[in-house]
Amino acid sequence: MKKKRSLSFCILPVLIAALLLLGGCEKKEDSISYTIYYKNSSGTSLYEVSYSPAAETFDEMMTELLAQMSTVPEDAVYTSVIPETVSYQGYERGIDALRIDFSGEYYEMDNITEVLLRAAVVKTVSQIPGVTKIMITVDSEQLVDANGEMVAAMDAESFIDTKNGGINSYQTTSLVLYFPNEDGTKLLKEVRNVDYSSNMVLVRVILEQLMAGSDYLNRMAVINSSAEILDITTKNGTCTINFSEEFNQKPTENTPSAESALYAIVNSICETADDVDSVKIMIEGSSNVKFWDEIDLNEAFVLNESLIEVESLESETEAAAEAEEAEGEPEAASAEDASDAGEVSGDGEEISETEELADSGVSDTTVMSADGSIAGADGYAADGTISRVDGAIAGVADADASAEAQTE
């Protein structure tokens, strides 16, 4: 009997160990599932497909995911977001963002195709651990939009989807947002470019961006982050918004005036939404309420320019005037102007950031290090070194000749 009992006690730990080992094997075999983004057969929206990559390193993962995005089964009900004419040319890991490069044919795409491609690439690649921001480049130069503005680094949140209708086609727009200034008495203008789902009402996008807060530190919050947008309707130029009761709670302890907060919302909507002339606000279905116990909501509010800080308007006018003046200036510049624009190297030769580095395909924020290599303002190395080009700085030789003539 003792022998049997001893044998059973010996077998039990072995069985337990075997079960744990099997459980461990099953867990190891489970791989992480990624979502690869394609577009539907009509090319109007994104299409999601689950995929388990076999890659183990970052390089392998990038290669595998981009290959999957480009490859589609013959019987699939979806297509690749990357047109056959556009080539994926690799990637570089920078301090600020992962940069994914495409061939020059990228700019031949129509707007819908381009935004879908950008959204699909960002949403797919941002799932890789360690990737926080993604920048698209074309032939190694930062992507620019139809207005010539550089498209900043993006993440999955850069593409605003409807919460109930799934991912649909995206449209790009510039939102004019207003936030109260530091003392909460005036409004400061802020322009924000966003890509949002075509299923979403533009006014909702504006409100959600206001709820997200300003990109600047010296501007106050407008809407309590716990507030919910219950309904939005627009009729005959009047937009009626129904908020939950949290809307009537101040967003922070340090709050702006009730007037500034209210008109930050009204001005943002009236300036951005073309079909809206006035805004009516309700709380839990009632307009017989005082906003922050101060302003009656039983009327429709229109754009109020008197609250917009004059400084922000003047700076915009000055910037536009400077841009026009710069366009009309001749290419040759004086030695004094060149000195303001560039740096002097150790051998006395002046280097212009706006001319010589632009010729090398590097943006205005690029700086040249002492050894002649090019590095971005974010510390991200570009394509090595460049050689100086004789006469790259117009006006320097002329200035030297003029100085000699005056000495004589």
Side-chain angles (χ1 to χ4, degrees):
M1 293 292 290
K2 277 187 181 178
K3 219 171 186 183
K4 267 189 191 174
R5 192 177 299 134
S6 175
L7 182 61
S8 64
F9 279 122
C10 290
I11 292 172
L12 187 59
V14 175
L15 288 173
I16 293 171
L19 289 171
L20 289 172
L21 184 61
L22 286 171
C25 289
E26 286 178 5
K27 189 173 182 181
K28 188 176 180 181
E29 287 174 1
D30 290 341
S31 55
I32 299 173
S33 179
Y34 280 64
T35 299
I36 307 291
Y37 290 88
Y38 301 91
K39 62 181 177 181
N40 65 357
S41 55
S42 61
T44 57
S45 64
L46 292 182
Y47 190 96
E48 300 179 12
V49 176
S50 294
Y51 175 75
S52 297
E56 295 183 356
T57 67
F58 190 92
D59 288 344
E60 291 172 351
M61 186 69 77
M62 283 294 299
T63 301
E64 188 171 345
L65 292 183
L66 267 296
Q68 283 299 313
M69 293 185 70
S70 303
T71 307
V72 176
E74 290 184 6
D75 58 346
V77 295
Y78 52 88
T79 61
S80 173
V81 293
I82 305 175
E84 292 182 0
T85 55
V86 178
S87 302
Y88 163 61
Q89 301 185 149
Y91 75 93
E92 290 181 284
R93 296 177 76 176
I95 293 174
D96 61 339
L98 175 73
R99 306 186 182 193
I100 300 177
D101 192 51
F102 290 98
S103 62
E105 289 78 13
Y106 186 100
Y107 286 118
E108 296 176 3
M109 293 184 289
D110 60 72
N111 183 60
I112 293 177
T113 303
E114 189 277 325
V115 177
L116 285 175
L117 183 154
R118 187 152 38 96
V121 168
V122 171
K123 283 177 171 289
T124 298
V125 176
S126 62
Q127 297 169 85
I128 301 175
V131 175
T132 54
K133 290 282 186 179
I134 297 165
M135 180 182 289
I136 302 294
T137 61
V138 179
D139 285 337
S140 300
E141 295 185 6
Q142 188 172 347
L143 175 67
V144 296
D145 60 22
N147 298 319
E149 298 292 328
M150 289 187 176
V151 178
M154 301 157 282
D155 56 26
E157 300 303 317
S158 299
F159 300 91
I160 306 167
D161 302 319
T162 175
K163 294 176 181 176
N164 301 317
I167 298 171
N168 206 285
S169 59
Y170 292 98
Q171 44 196 332
T172 304
T173 191
S174 292
L175 304 180
V176 178
L177 304 177
Y178 284 95
F179 291 93
N181 63 1
E182 205 163 6
D183 61 15
T185 59
K186 291 286 186 177
L187 298 177
L188 293 169
K189 189 175 185 177
E190 185 174 319
V191 178
R192 187 176 299 177
N193 294 323
V194 299
D195 300 296
Y196 68 99
S197 169
S198 58
N199 285 344
M200 292 187 73
V201 177
L202 179 59
V203 172
R204 179 178 287 274
V205 177
I206 296 168
L207 292 171
E208 289 183 355
Q209 291 295 300
L210 286 172
M211 292 170 79
S214 173
D215 290 336
Y216 301 90
L217 295 175
N218 62 338
R219 303 184 186 185
M220 291 187 175
V222 174
I223 304 174
N224 191 310
S225 59
S226 60
E228 293 182 25
I229 305 165
L230 303 179
D231 189 40
I232 300 172
T233 57
T234 300
K235 186 177 181 181
N236 298 328
T238 299
C239 177
T240 302
I241 308 163
N242 186 20
F243 288 99
S244 66
E245 60 184 6
E246 290 80 8
F247 174 77
N248 215 12
Q249 298 172 7
K250 295 182 179 181
T252 59
E253 292 181 3
N254 183 26
T255 56
S257 68
E259 184 182 38
S260 294
L262 180 69
Y263 278 102
I265 297 168
V266 174
N267 286 9
S268 297
I269 294 172
C270 289
E271 274 217 44
T272 303
D274 294 334
D275 59 339
V276 177
D277 301 316
S278 61
V279 177
K280 189 170 178 59
I281 294 174
M282 304 176 75
I283 299 176
E284 297 289 351
S286 173
S287 57
N288 190 24
V289 182
K290 279 195 172 184
F291 177 62
W292 292 2
D293 296 325
E294 292 185 38
I295 302 175
D296 286 325
L297 296 179
N298 54 8
E299 63 174 292
F301 299 90
V302 298
L303 182 72
N304 186 345
E305 293 185 342
S306 67
L307 285 175
I308 302 173
E309 194 164 286
V310 178
E311 259 183 37
S312 66
L313 296 176
E314 287 178 349
S315 62
E316 283 185 11
T317 306
E318 288 171 5
E322 286 175 5
E324 283 183 16
E325 188 178 341
E327 286 178 6
E329 286 179 356
E331 290 185 6
S334 67
E336 183 179 347
D337 292 336
S339 178
D340 291 338
E343 296 290 333
V344 179
S345 66
D347 56 8
E349 184 178 2
E350 187 132 354
I351 302 168
S352 168
E353 291 176 358
T354 56
E355 293 185 31
E356 186 173 355
L357 296 186
D359 293 340
S360 69
V362 184
S363 67
D364 290 348
T365 57
T366 303
V367 295
M368 175 173 281
S369 62
D371 60 1
S373 61
I374 303 173
D378 54 10
Y380 187 86
D383 56 353
T385 60
I386 61 169
S387 59
R388 305 195 199 295
V389 181
D390 292 339
I393 308 303
V396 173
D398 292 343
D400 290 341
S402 176
E404 287 177 8
Q406 287 178 5
T407 304
E408 290 176 1

